Amino acid sequence: MILNQVEELASKAFGELDKVTDAKELEAWRIRYLGRKSTFIQILRSLATLPLEERRSVGARANEIKEAFEAGLAEKKRSLEKQTIYPLGIPSGVAFGKSSLVQLKSLDVTLPGQQVLLGRLHPTTQILDEICEIFSNMGFQVVEGPEVEWEYYNFEALNMPVDHPARDMFATLWVDFKTRAGNRSMLLRTHTSPVQIRVMEKLSPPIRVIAPGRVFRYEATDATHEWMFYQVEGLAVDTNITLADLKGTLFEFARRLFGKDRKCRFRCDYFPFVEPGVEVAIDCLVCQGDGCRLCSNSGWIEILGAGMVHPEVLRRVNIDPEVYSGFAFGMGVERIPILRYGIDDIRLFYSNDLRFLRQF
Ligand code: PHE
């Protein structure tokens, strides 16, 4: 009986000793298990009253445990003292006891310090921050939407019903997932444009938002293609919004991001969810428009698709196209650092090669 009690006490004590993290706790532990009034020491004392036979067996084991307690205590004390040496300086708020002061005296200040490893932001994150800052200053609100998206938001609501040939523009990664709600399908969004729909369902005009995020395409990768990349979507809906507002906004954006001498080129393009649609290019930063490898000798680099929100799209989200109009744009994000730093392979961004990432 007593033996059981002693064993139980011992395993409890060792468990608690493991969790001790400072000198104060350790002293409390010592008092709890080796203090004069502790249960364990009381038991040891009471052994004297036991019959000789029992006294021998229990006594031997109890003494063994007492020694183990003492050894454990000394060991813990040593390891706690080791922890209180701070080769990088003493963190503020650290209360140190006598023993740690002694240890600190032995600190050799001529030894080289430990290198502090500094993290850094991924180049994509850096550029996203810059883009968001510019548009925030122009009065745009930053919003986000889901990466796994309903087919409805990615296509249908954007004026691309099933079998619309424009779906071919977006090689899609489908999510194999059956819903109880019927045969609605999910996919990895192929662009950030579905966020336009989600925003217009929730907010009423005037709307001015940008939506940064990841998009996915079912495509083979090469120096200029990734299956995952980032886009920033923009949307403005209000009364009297015209193509001139779109041009003004994007032109100002390009100047703030790339410098005030930037030129912008708007050309006709087609996207089912805008009318008219445009493709926007800036003059090549590398050759200043003369023509080089980066711009395939055209002098221009396309950075985004844009246009006036299609009346059909507005109608679907119950915004009256007779009253309101809007512009939308979607830009590729990696293009920008690629241009700025002359990076020749988009795959470098997401292959986690520190030799690349440490340069930013
Ligand atoms: N979502 C289009 C794309 O990924 C870009 C775009 C956005 C075009 C908004 C027009 C308006 O290619």
Side-chain angles (χ1 to χ4, degrees), residues 170 191 193 196 217 231 233 271 273-274 305-306 328-330:
F170 304 101
H191 51 178
S193 300
Q196 288 184 35
R217 303 265 170 101
Q231 286 188 337
E233 193 78 12
F271 301 95
F273 36 96
V274 287
F329 59 84

